Amino acid sequence: AAAGDGWAAVCEKFRTARTLSAVESRKDPETEPYRSKYSARALLQEVKQQLSAAEEGGEARLLAVRRAVLEYELGVNHTDTEELSAGEEHLQRCTQLLEPHRLSPDCVSLYIQAQNNLGILWSERDEIKTAQTYLESAEALYNQYMKEDGNPPLDPSEHFMAEEEKLTDQERSKRFEKAYTHTLYYLAQVYQHLEMIEKAAQYCHTTLKRQLEYCGYYPVEWALNAATLSQYYLSKQCFMEARHCLAAASVIFSQAGQVPSAEDNEAEQDQQYLCQRKAEIARFWIKYCLNLLQSARKLLEDNIGELDPDRQLELKAQRKKEEDEKEKGRKKAVLFGTSDICDSVLAMEEKVSSVYPLDFQEAREIFLVGQNYVQEAKEFFQVDGYVSDHIEIVQDHSALFKVLAFFEEDYERRCKMHKRRIDMLEPIYADLNPQYYLLISRQLQFELANTFYEMMDLKVAIGNRLEELDSHTIKKINSLAQLAIKYYELFLDSLRNPDKVFPEELGEDVLRPAMVAKFHIARLYGKLITSDHKKQLENMQTSLEYYTFLVDYCEKYPYAVRAIETELELSKEMVGLLPARMERLRAKMYPFI
Amino acid sequence: QVALRIRPMSAAELAEGARHIAHCVDHQVMVLQDPMEDSSDVLRASHSRQKSYLFDVVFDSTATQETVYHATTQSLVAVVTSGCNATVFTYGPTGCGKTYTMLGTDGELGICARTLAELFQTIEDSSSDVEYEVSLSYLEIYNEMIRDLLSPSLGCLQLWEDASGHVQVVGLTTVPATSANEVMQLLARGNRQRMQEPTAANCTSSRSHAMLQVTVRQSHRGRDLRHGCLCMIDLAGSERAAQTQNRGQRMKEGAHINRSLLALGNCIKALSQPASSKYINYRDSKLTRLLKDSLRGNSHTVMIAHISPASTAFEESRSTLAYAQRAKSIRATVE
C-alpha cells in the first residue's frame, strides 16, 4: 500500500478514535455509557492490526513506539470501561516496548503517562502501595530526563501526525509538564491515603504551583485551594507558608474580576459567587491572624495566664538570632508564582507578620489585619441569610479581642476590649432561637459569662489599687458579677431535659463547662459586695451550695475529677472554710443568741 | 423510629455464589453472620461471629410494600394533618432497595404513593368546614448543589438561614396538588431530571439525595388552623466507591485516585482533618442544614435502613447496621 496515503488514513483513524473517546463519550446515553469508547476501541484495534502487518526493518524503533502508543490508548480505553485486567495488560505492554528507550525524547512522555495510568489502575484495585511505586517511578524518570536531557520531548499524539502538524517546542513542553503535574497530583492523593500528610501537603503545594506555571487554572478555584492549604500549614504552626498561601490566594483571586455575561441574571449570580468566595478567603485570613496571636500567647503565658515578662525577653532575644536563618529558609521554600505575580504576593505578605508577636504593638498590628478581614467577611455573610457563618465570624472577632487583651498591660484598656466583645455577642445571642441553635447558643452563653467574669475580676483588681472602693466601682463590680451569673445560669439551664430537670450525670462534652460554670457562680457569689449582712449570709449560702455541688458530683462520679482538678481542690477548701465564716457572721448579726 | 429492610438475593449475587447471611430472628431482631466464619471449626462455633441488631421493626425479603407502609409511614399521615412535622429517610448502599421502598414500581407502589393516597383520602373524608391546601416541592442535592427537580432550569439554588432557625431554599418551586396521582406524576417528571450515573452495581442508582416536601395547610373558614409538613428523603447510596467503580468526572471516595485536577480541593481539605475548632469547620452539608428544620421541633422521624442479605455485601451491611443502630440511640432534642 502506498506509504503516504495509507499512513494518512491510519492517522485519521487514530484521531477519530481519540475524539470518540474524549468528546463523543460524554454524550453517550445512560443505558449505553461506553458506546463511544467501544467504537473507539474497535478503531484502535484496526490500527493495531495495520501496524502489525507493516514491515519490520530499519524503522523498527519507530514501529515499536507507534505500537506502544496504541497499547497505551487501548490500556486507557479498557481502564475507562472498567476492564482493569485488560487495561493493565495493554499498559504493561506499552512500557515493555518503550523500556529500552524510555529516556529518549520520543518515548519519555508516553512512558510517564503510562505509569500514571498504571498508578490510577492499581488504586482502583485498592492496592495503593502498588500505585505508589508506579507513580514514584514516573516521578524519578521525569527528574532524570530533565537532568540528562531537558529538551521538550515529543507528545505521544505526534506519532500519529503528519510532519506539518507536529507541535512547537513550546506546546510540547506545556503538555509534558502537564503530564508530570498529574504525576505529582496523583502522588499527593496517594500520600494522603497513606496518611503521609506532610508529604501530601508538599505535593499539593507543588501541584498548585505548577498549575500557575504550566497548566492553566481557574483563578477563583485556585485561590480557594491555596487558602485551604493555608489551614494545613496553620495546623503545623508553619505561619510563613500559611501566609504565603493566603497572599497568593488573594492575588490570584483578584485576577478573576468581573465575569462578562450576556444575561443580567447570570451576571448577578456570578457576582454573588465572586463575593461569596472573596468573603470565604477573608475568613481564612481571620483564622491566620487568630492562630498567630493565640500561638504567641501560649508561648508567652505563665501558669496563671498572664504575660510572663521573662519569657518575653527570652523570646525576643531568640528571635533576633533566628532572623538571619529565616531568610535562608525563605529562599528554599516552595514559592508560588511566575515573576509577574511574585511582587504582588510579596506586597500582600508584607502587610502582616508571620512571626510570633511578642508585645502589644506587634499583636495590635496583626489584630488590625484580622479585624479588617472580619469586616470584609461580614459584608457577605450577613445575619439575615447566613446566620451560622455570621456568628462564627463574630466569635472569631471576639476571640481576636480576647487574645489582644492578653497583650495589653493596662487593666482599664483591657476591660474596654472585653466590653467590645460583650457588645458584639449580646445582640446576636438575643436574636437567636435557642431551640434551633442549641450548640451555638450554649457557646455564646458561656463566652458571655466568661467575659463578664473577666471584666469583674479586672474591676476588682483595679479597685484594689485604690485606697477604698467607691460606690461607683462597687456597683460596677456587682453588676458585672450578676451578669456573669445570669449567663452561667442560662448555660446550665440549657443542659436541662425537656422536663426542666438537671441531668444526674453530665455528658462528656458538657462536663467541664458545666463544672466551671458552677465553680465560677460559687466564686461570684463570694465576690458580691454588700453592706447588708443578711444578704451577705444568703450569698455565702448560695456560694456554699455551688461548691458543694462540685465536691459531691466528683465523689459520685470519680472519673470527673480529672476534668476539674484545680477547681475541685479550691471547692473542697471553700466547703471547709465557708461554714465557719458563716457562723462568725451569724454571731456578729445576732450576738445575744 | 428505625426500621430495617432486607431485600431478596439478586440474580447477580446468586450467580456469584453468595450465601445468605442476614437473618430475621423475630420482627425486631436480626442477625448478621460474618461470612469468614468457618462453621466446621468447633472451637469457634461457640463464639459464633454473628452480631444481633435490634430495631423498632425488621422486614425480611418476604415483606410486601403494603406491610412496610403500614408499619412505618402510615401513622405519619395523622401526624401531618394534626399540624406536626414528619420525616422519612431511606438509607443504605446502592442497589439495596431504597428507591424501591420509597417509590416502588407501577405494580408495587412504594411508601411515597401510599402515604400520599392516604393523605388525600383523609382530606376527602374530613368535614367540609375545614379546607386543606396541599403543596409540594421536590429537590435534589448532588455534590453539595441543590437542584429544583420541578424546575431544573433554575440551576443551582442557595440556602437561606435566619435567626429563628428557619432554613429555606431560595426560589424553590412549590406546586399545589389535589390528588395522589397528580403528585406521583410530578414525582415521575422530577425523577427524570435527577443526576443519574451508570455504576457497575446498579444502573438506576444515584449519588444524589432526593427530597420531597409535602406541606398540608388547614384553614377553617378562612382562618389558618395549622400546617404540617412531611418530608420524604431518598438518601444517596451509602456504599464505598470500591464496589461501584465510578469513574471519570464523578468524584471518587475511598482510596481511589481522582484523575481530574478539579478534585485538588478535596485532597487539600482532607489534609486538615480532623478539623479542630481552631480552623475552619466545613459547614454542615446542605442536607444537614435543610433537615435542621424537620429534625427539630415537634417532629416524628422514621428511618428505613436497607441491606442486602448476601455474604458478598457483608462489609457494607455491617456498616449500614452500625449506622442505623447509632441513629436509634439518638433522641431528638424536642422541646
Side-chain angles (χ1 to χ4, degrees):
Chain A
D5 288 336
W7 180 241
V10 168
C11 287
E12 190 53 44
K13 211 177 270 185
F14 179 80
R15 273 198 290 275
T16 313
R18 292 259 302 225
T19 315
L20 274 169
S21 226
V23 181
E24 297 298 317
S25 65
R26 291 180 210 203
K27 306 176 197 163
D28 282 341
E30 288 153 25
T31 44
E32 287 187 88
Y34 297 137
R35 190 171 64 187
S36 299
K37 297 224 184 231
Y38 292 145
S39 312
R41 186 186 301 175
L43 286 173
L44 289 168
Q45 295 285 16
E46 275 176 41
V47 174
K48 189 175 168 186
Q49 296 281 46
Q50 287 175 289
L51 282 181
S52 317
E55 318 241 326
E56 292 271 359
E59 295 202 339
R61 160 85 174 260
L62 186 58
L63 197 58
V65 179
R66 284 178 177 163
R67 282 193 182 133
V69 175
L70 251 327
E71 293 295 344
Y72 171 79
E73 292 291 338
L74 281 163
V76 175
N77 186 294
H78 280 278
T79 323
D80 283 346
T81 53
E82 304 175 37
E83 296 165 33
L84 295 184
S85 304
E88 187 191 351
E89 227 181 276
H90 286 288
L91 289 169
Q92 291 287 28
R93 234 177 277 148
C94 169
T95 52
Q96 273 161 23
L97 283 165
L98 297 172
E99 196 70 41
H101 318 292
R102 69 186 192 281
L103 271 173
S104 50
D106 55 339
C107 297
V108 68
S109 185
L110 181 59
Y111 194 90
I112 286 176
Q113 289 186 52
Q115 296 209 297
N116 281 355
N117 277 283
L118 279 163
I120 294 179
L121 191 151
W122 279 100
S123 81
E124 301 276 312
R125 289 176 171 166
D126 265 336
E127 299 271 341
I128 203 77
K129 290 219 162 214
T130 315
Q132 183 186 4
T133 52
Y134 281 106
L135 294 166
E136 285 181 342
S137 157
E139 181 188 17
L141 191 68
Y142 170 89
N143 286 319
Q144 196 181 358
Y145 176 79
M146 291 310 274
K147 200 165 118 189
E148 294 177 7
D149 185 329
N151 289 312
L154 253 63
D155 184 73
S157 62
E158 290 186 78
H159 292 295
F160 284 90
M161 274 184 195
E163 203 55 49
E164 58 276 11
E165 294 170 321
K166 300 244 162 151
L167 304 170
T168 59
D169 264 357
Q170 200 184 44
E171 184 61 29
R172 281 177 185 164
S173 175
K174 192 165 155 213
R175 293 194 192 190
F176 183 51
E177 296 297 346
K178 195 165 184 187
Y180 180 58
T181 303
H182 280 85
T183 310
L184 297 174
Y185 170 52
Y186 299 152
L187 275 168
Q189 294 179 62
V190 164
Y191 294 133
Q192 185 229 316
H193 290 308
L194 291 171
E195 317 229 324
M196 298 163 63
I197 302 298
E198 212 175 302
K199 237 180 153 173
Q202 189 193 332
Y203 278 72
C204 280
H205 191 134
T206 312
T207 306
L208 280 173
K209 177 178 157 73
R210 291 178 63 92
Q211 276 187 303
L212 285 184
E213 286 172 42
Y214 304 112
C215 285
Y217 56 95
Y218 295 111
V220 177
E221 235 184 71
W222 193 96
L224 274 173
N225 286 346
T228 314
L229 188 59
S230 78
Q231 296 293 282
Y232 163 77
Y233 285 121
L234 281 181
S235 72
K236 295 281 177 259
Q237 309 280 285
C238 298
F239 292 99
M240 193 165 72
E241 289 81 349
R243 180 182 67 175
H244 186 64
C245 286
L246 286 167
S250 293
V251 169
I252 297 292
F253 181 83
S254 57
Q255 283 179 3
Q258 280 242 351
V259 181
S261 167
E263 270 178 58
D264 254 72
N265 193 11
E266 237 186 75
E268 211 184 285
Q269 260 196 10
D270 287 336
Q271 266 300 100
Q272 266 282 82
Y273 174 76
L274 280 180
C275 288
Q276 182 168 356
R277 297 287 173 248
K278 185 156 189 258
E280 283 173 14
I281 294 179
R283 287 176 78 181
F284 282 110
W285 272 110
I286 299 172
K287 296 289 181 189
Y288 169 83
C289 295
L290 193 53
N291 265 286
L292 185 56
L293 287 164
Q294 287 173 339
S295 299
R297 176 173 64 191
K298 274 217 187 75
L299 289 178
L300 288 166
E301 67 184 355
D302 59 22
N303 53 13
I304 52 164
E306 289 289 336
L307 200 155
D308 184 343
D310 294 326
R311 281 293 284 156
Q312 190 179 34
L313 286 170
E314 221 180 283
L315 288 166
K316 280 192 169 173
Q318 196 178 8
R319 182 165 70 184
K320 262 214 141 70
K321 252 191 359 187
E322 282 177 355
E323 248 157 32
D324 301 318
E325 287 163 34
K326 271 259 164 74
E327 266 312 297
K328 294 187 211 146
R330 187 71 226 255
K331 301 204 167 86
K332 285 198 213 141
V334 181
L335 295 176
F336 288 125
T338 48
S339 47
D340 47 333
I341 68 161
C342 245
D343 289 333
S344 315
V345 174
L346 218 62
M348 274 267 21
E349 285 180 319
E350 275 166 12
K351 294 185 184 168
V352 67
S353 161
S354 70
V355 293
Y356 293 123
L358 296 175
D359 59 37
F360 180 75
Q361 273 298 72
E362 294 171 2
R364 186 167 173 274
E365 275 170 36
I366 299 170
F367 167 86
L368 287 172
V369 172
Q371 187 164 250
N372 273 337
Y373 282 113
V374 165
Q375 301 311 339
E376 203 177 296
K378 285 207 293 202
E379 259 172 50
F380 182 82
F381 290 111
Q382 298 173 5
V383 181
D384 222 10
Y386 297 97
V387 175
S388 315
D389 298 289
H390 181 92
I391 293 182
E392 195 187 310
I393 296 169
V394 174
Q395 283 176 311
D396 281 347
H397 197 182
S398 168
L400 281 169
F401 268 110
K402 183 173 177 186
V403 73
L404 184 63
F406 167 79
F407 288 92
E408 172 60 75
E409 285 175 8
D410 180 88
Y411 285 176
E412 278 292 356
R413 284 201 288 266
R414 259 200 218 180
C415 243
K416 289 209 173 86
M417 289 178 195
H418 289 303
K419 179 79 172 62
R420 290 289 300 273
R421 294 172 63 196
I422 303 288
D423 290 342
M424 66 176 88
L425 293 170
E426 258 191 327
I428 312 186
Y429 172 73
D431 277 342
L432 213 57
N433 182 334
Q435 190 179 352
Y436 287 103
Y437 291 101
L438 188 60
L439 194 61
I440 295 183
S441 194
R442 282 185 189 161
Q443 285 175 2
L444 292 173
Q445 285 157 345
F446 202 74
E447 190 170 347
L448 281 163
N450 276 349
T451 312
F452 278 120
Y453 185 76
E454 279 207 53
M455 283 172 78
M456 186 219 70
D457 255 348
L458 284 166
K459 287 291 183 192
V460 169
I462 294 170
N464 283 341
R465 292 192 183 148
L466 310 168
E467 287 282 304
E468 222 182 80
L469 285 177
D470 63 77
S471 67
H472 171 78
T473 314
I474 292 176
K475 245 199 197 149
K476 194 78 195 151
I477 291 175
N478 281 341
S479 129
L480 288 169
Q482 294 286 15
L483 283 163
I485 291 173
K486 166 184 162 190
Y487 281 103
Y488 279 128
E489 291 287 11
L490 279 169
F491 172 75
L492 289 169
D493 281 342
S494 80
L495 301 175
R496 294 173 189 270
N497 67 17
D499 294 328
K500 303 296 177 200
V501 176
F502 196 80
E504 277 294 312
E505 194 176 351
L506 292 159
E508 196 189 326
D509 45 343
V510 295
L511 177 61
R512 180 163 166 81
M515 292 287 120
V516 168
K518 292 267 184 188
F519 179 73
H520 282 185
I521 294 176
R523 197 164 168 271
L524 285 162
Y525 273 105
K527 291 271 176 182
L528 286 170
I529 304 169
T530 169
S531 46
D532 178 346
H533 287 313
K534 189 151 167 271
K535 198 76 185 66
Q536 205 179 349
L537 205 59
E538 274 171 31
N539 290 344
M540 288 169 91
Q541 179 60 35
T542 314
S543 194
L544 179 62
E545 278 165 21
Y546 277 85
Y547 283 126
T548 313
F549 175 90
L550 246 110
V551 176
D552 288 348
Y553 189 93
C554 288
E555 236 184 80
K556 195 167 168 203
Y557 303 106
Y559 66 79
V561 177
R562 202 160 336 134
I564 35 157
E565 268 185 79
T566 354
E567 289 85 354
L568 180 61
E569 251 187 75
L570 290 163
S571 302
K572 283 187 181 156
E573 263 184 57
M574 294 307 284
V575 167
L577 290 170
L578 273 173
R581 276 194 206 161
M582 286 163 70
E583 256 318 299
R584 282 202 295 276
L585 184 58
R586 248 183 244 120
K588 231 172 42 177
M589 284 165 63
Y590 311 110
F592 303 115
I593 296 176
Chain B
Q1 190 203 28
V2 180
L4 176 74
R5 189 171 194 186
I6 309 173
R7 70 151 166 69
M9 290 271 266
S10 70
E13 286 167 339
L14 288 168
E16 279 179 324
R19 286 167 18 232
H20 201 104
I21 55 162
H23 310 280
C24 277
V25 171
D26 62 28
H27 75 284
Q28 285 191 306
V29 181
M30 63 83 64
V31 155
L32 186 73
Q33 269 179 308
D34 187 332
M36 299 293 268
E37 150 185 289
D38 186 357
S39 52
S40 66
D41 186 338
V42 176
L43 281 172
R44 287 262 217 83
S46 52
H47 344 251
S48 83
R49 283 170 62 176
Q50 58 183 17
K51 191 153 187 279
S52 66
Y53 298 86
L54 171 68
F55 294 97
D56 292 303
V57 60
V58 177
F59 304 106
D60 67 9
S61 47
T62 62
T64 60
Q65 297 280 60
E66 178 89 18
T67 319
V68 174
Y69 167 67
H70 276 305
T72 57
T73 26
Q74 186 172 35
S75 54
L76 296 181
V77 175
V79 167
V80 175
T81 49
S82 70
C84 293
N85 297 334
T87 312
V88 187
F89 290 93
T90 53
Y91 173 83
T94 304
C96 287
K98 298 190 304 293
T99 313
Y100 177 69
T101 300
M102 189 64 94
L103 296 173
T105 59
D106 280 339
E108 298 171 57
L109 296 174
I111 54 180
C112 209
R114 290 171 197 266
T115 317
L116 290 163
E118 176 113 12
L119 177 68
F120 282 106
Q121 189 64 47
T122 313
I123 291 177
E124 242 188 69
D125 295 342
S126 69
S127 80
S128 49
D129 277 16
V130 189
E131 275 166 31
Y132 289 88
E133 235 179 76
V134 178
S135 60
L136 65 97
S137 66
Y138 194 30
L139 62 86
E140 166 184 69
I141 304 179
Y142 175 73
N143 249 357
E144 284 301 284
M145 292 187 306
I146 302 179
R147 282 172 72 234
D148 184 343
L149 289 170
L150 299 178
S151 309
S153 54
L154 292 177
C156 182
L157 302 176
Q158 298 297 331
L159 284 179
W160 181 271
E161 223 183 325
D162 60 33
S164 64
H166 198 44
V167 181
Q168 22 173 320
V169 182
V170 182
L172 187 65
T173 6
T174 38
V175 177
T178 48
S179 75
N181 261 339
E182 219 182 301
V183 180
M184 294 316 289
Q185 272 174 30
L186 282 166
L187 266 193
R189 221 179 70 193
N191 279 330
R192 285 196 283 277
Q193 302 293 338
R194 283 184 75 175
M195 293 289 214
Q196 302 263 4
E197 297 129 31
T199 68
N202 182 324
C203 277
T204 55
S205 76
S206 167
R207 297 199 72 66
S208 64
H209 312 294
M211 177 157 135
L212 172 72
Q213 227 171 359
V214 180
T215 315
V216 180
R217 268 208 156 71
Q218 291 175 43
S219 52
H220 182 70
R221 298 195 197 135
R223 245 188 44 226
D224 245 2
L225 264 188
R226 44 183 160 229
H227 75 273
C229 178
L230 172 64
C231 281
M232 308 193 74
I233 306 172
D234 188 4
L235 289 175
S238 59
E239 72 286 0
R240 286 183 336 219
Q243 281 168 299
T244 56
Q245 297 175 42
N246 291 346
R247 280 199 48 101
Q249 263 110 341
R250 289 111 204 188
M251 297 305 177
K252 288 184 283 209
E253 294 116 349
H256 292 230
I257 292 178
N258 194 308
R259 272 189 198 281
S260 166
L261 277 166
L262 291 172
L264 178 58
N266 290 345
C267 189
I268 295 178
K269 274 181 206 165
L271 296 173
S272 309
Q273 313 275 25
S276 74
S277 59
K278 238 175 151 194
Y279 317 116
I280 297 247
N281 265 328
Y282 287 94
R283 283 196 345 232
D284 291 335
S285 73
K286 296 249 160 72
L287 183 64
T288 325
R289 292 170 69 201
L290 261 181
L291 292 177
K292 257 197 334 207
D293 230 1
S294 41
L295 287 178
R296 308 285 181 110
N298 42 6
S299 174
H300 291 72
T301 315
V302 175
M303 170 158 104
I304 309 178
H306 295 71
I307 60 166
S308 151
S311 51
T312 43
F314 174 68
E315 286 300 339
E316 294 304 353
S317 301
R318 191 162 62 171
S319 70
T320 305
L321 288 167
Y323 184 87
Q325 288 277 267
R326 279 207 307 274
K328 226 185 106 55
S329 60
I330 295 172
R331 301 226 161 282
T333 49
V334 172
E335 281 169 57

